[in-house]
Amino acid sequence: MAAKGVCLHHISRESSDVKRLAKFYNEILGFEKIECPDNGIYERIWMRLPPVFSLHLIERNPKTKLPEGPWSSTDAIADPKNLSRGHHICFAVSNYDSFVQTIKVRGLRARGSYP
């Protein structure tokens, strides 16, 4: 049982190219940009998937020693096998086949087939 008044507020993802990642979430999944205060230190974009789910995209600290995930990498070849199993975010879609077709039309690869 969750503590009284507790709910999920947002999830964050880091990337060396937050604009590229925001474009993906907007064009493929329908996220909308929402107001985000500028802290003047690093780039960040806040997004919402209506009606209430929020996602914060945050510029990766270039001094970080950990490898960057392939989906946020700007490398020409991104290999998802380098991700740990626990590093993911999952969305449900109403029509999987249509969604996969949308991804293919945009030149992206679809992985997995979870109901």
Side-chain angles (χ1 to χ4, degrees), residues 6-114:
V6 174
C7 65
L8 179 64
H9 186 270
H10 71 271
I11 292 175
S12 65
R13 301 283 320 268
E14 71 171 12
S15 174
S16 58
D17 190 347
V18 292
K19 288 179 182 159
R20 178 176 173 255
L21 194 54
K23 183 177 177 182
F24 171 83
Y25 281 111
N26 172 256
E27 292 180 1
I28 302 299
L29 297 171
F31 277 75
E32 305 167 345
K33 281 187 177 182
I34 58 176
E35 186 176 340
C36 175
D38 180 6
N39 68 3
I41 301 169
Y42 52 87
E43 187 172 8
R44 54 195 180 163
I45 297 173
W46 290 359
M47 304 188 86
R48 180 183 62 204
L49 185 62
V52 295
F53 179 73
S54 292
L55 180 67
H56 293 184
L57 306 178
I58 301 170
E59 181 180 27
R60 181 179 174 80
N61 181 343
K63 296 178 183 177
T64 299
K65 302 280 188 218
L66 297 173
E68 186 159 1
W71 297 116
S72 57
S73 175
T74 56
D75 293 343
I77 298 174
D79 187 355
K81 290 184 288 190
N82 294 329
L83 283 177
S84 68
R85 283 176 242 157
H87 180 84
H88 70 272
I89 186 169
C90 179
F91 297 95
V93 295
S94 61
N95 184 322
Y96 180 78
D97 293 330
S98 175
F99 180 75
V100 169
Q101 184 60 32
T102 299
I103 286 182
K104 286 180 180 179
V105 165
R106 293 180 178 267
L108 302 171
R109 292 180 302 157
R111 288 187 357 127
S113 58
Y114 302 98

